[in-house]
């Protein structure tokens, strides 16, 4: 859940922010009628498309992980029956990595052999490093990423919705989005153990750089 929120929110804050800033660099110098309306419509269209694309990507990734787990489990179930000696050697090798000698791991192997399903579970976890997903994980991942993207994307667009002055909307959007990126990055760092300040500043700088580049390029191309 945390991973999906991070994926959706980070892109939701950054991409619409960069788009709105880039469009501001064009509409403020091109004499477009009702420029804020254009920025808001383009931003909302991007949020809609981005949330669908990101949600679909999360769904397909989760489905792919589930299908990979199921395929590997079927293979392990066959090997436990058809190649038990090879599987026993793999058990010993796994324990040897942790400094457990063969005679010490033999009782564990004997216990696992009495329960083939537990044996397969052990191999999936410790040999392949795979864990079974909870049911409905793909749809939950898709919805979490999509709604997080929408929530993040509306933050930089809010000033454009409430103001008719392009310069004021841009400056306000920059301020609140940088604060949101800083807070979000800090929370992410706290949850993942990466460090509250370090993660917050890093996230803010990346989002700010993306928006700054989009704004500068838009102004540059519009000038020509």
């Amino acid at each position: 859940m945390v991973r999906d929120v991070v994926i959706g929110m980070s892109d939701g804050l950054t991409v619409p922010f960069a788009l709105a800033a880039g469009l501001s660099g064009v509409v403020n110098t091109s004499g477009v009628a009702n420029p804020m309306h254009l920025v808001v419509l383009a931003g909302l269209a991007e949020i809609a498309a981005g949330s669908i694309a990101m949600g679909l990507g999360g769904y397909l990734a989760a489905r792919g992980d589930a299908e990979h787990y199921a395929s590997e489990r079927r293979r392990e179930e066959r090997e436990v029956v058809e190649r038990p000696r090879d599987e026993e050697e793999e058990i010993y090798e796994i324990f040897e990595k942790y400094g457990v000698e063969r005679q010490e791991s033999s009782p564990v192997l004997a216990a696992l052999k009495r329960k083939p399903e537990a044996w397969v579970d052990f191999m999936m976890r410790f040999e392949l490093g795979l864990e079974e997903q909870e049911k409905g994980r793909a749809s939950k991942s898709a919805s979490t990423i999509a709604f997080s993207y929408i929530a993040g994307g509306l933050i930089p667009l809010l000033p454009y919705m409430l103001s008719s002055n392009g310069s004021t909307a841009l400056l306000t959007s920059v301020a609140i989005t940088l604060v949101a990126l800083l807070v979000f990055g800090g929370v992410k760092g706290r949850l993942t153990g990466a460090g509250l300040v370090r993660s917050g500043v890093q996230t803010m700088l990346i989002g700010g750089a993306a928006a700054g580049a989009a704004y500068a390029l838009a102004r540059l191309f519009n000038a020509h």
Side-chain angles (χ1 to χ4, degrees):
M1 180 73 72
V2 172
R3 184 198 67 178
D4 291 340
V5 170
V6 168
I7 292 172
M9 184 72 75
S10 59
D11 277 14
L13 281 168
T14 305
V15 179
F17 180 35
L19 174 65
L23 285 175
S24 296
V26 175
V27 298
N28 287 339
T29 58
S30 60
V32 176
N34 201 355
M36 293 305 94
H37 184 63
L38 175 62
V39 173
V40 170
L41 285 179
L44 291 176
E46 196 289 324
I47 290 174
S51 63
I52 293 171
M54 292 289 291
L56 181 59
Y59 178 84
L60 293 176
R63 281 292 301 273
D65 289 342
E67 290 169 358
H68 176 61
Y69 179 89
S71 174
E72 290 297 312
R73 188 175 183 87
R74 288 192 296 269
R75 182 177 63 80
E76 284 293 337
E77 288 172 346
R78 288 196 305 270
E79 290 181 350
V80 165
V81 175
E82 299 171 2
R83 299 167 51 193
R85 297 297 299 175
D86 292 338
E87 292 298 293
E88 290 174 12
E89 286 299 316
E90 290 175 354
I91 290 282
Y92 288 129
E93 291 173 3
I94 291 170
F95 277 111
E96 286 173 356
K97 293 178 182 178
Y98 294 94
V100 181
E101 300 295 334
R102 286 189 171 231
Q103 63 271 20
E104 296 172 322
S105 58
S106 292
V108 178
L109 175 57
L112 289 174
K113 289 173 68 175
R114 290 196 298 269
K115 298 180 179 180
E117 186 175 351
W119 189 355
V120 173
D121 289 340
F122 184 90
M123 300 303 290
M124 293 297 295
R125 177 67 182 85
F126 291 98
E127 181 193 12
L128 302 177
L130 298 175
E131 293 186 6
E132 187 175 12
Q133 293 185 8
E134 61 178 305
K135 292 184 179 180
R137 171 66 185 144
S139 58
K140 290 179 182 177
S141 178
S143 59
T144 301
I145 292 174
F147 284 118
S148 297
Y149 191 98
I150 293 171
L154 289 175
I155 293 174
L157 279 186
L158 189 60
Y160 296 96
M161 297 177 181
L162 301 178
S163 175
S164 58
N165 185 288
S167 298
T168 300
L170 175 60
L171 292 176
T172 305
S173 178
V174 169
I176 66 171
T177 305
L178 289 179
V179 171
L181 285 166
L182 180 64
V183 172
F184 169 71
V187 172
K188 179 186 69 174
R190 183 68 177 272
L191 292 174
T192 60
L196 188 148
V197 176
R198 179 173 176 271
S199 179
V201 172
Q202 185 181 60
T203 303
M204 181 183 68
L205 290 177
I206 292 173
Y215 182 83
L217 287 172
R219 290 295 297 270
L220 177 63
F221 293 146
N222 189 53
H224 295 286

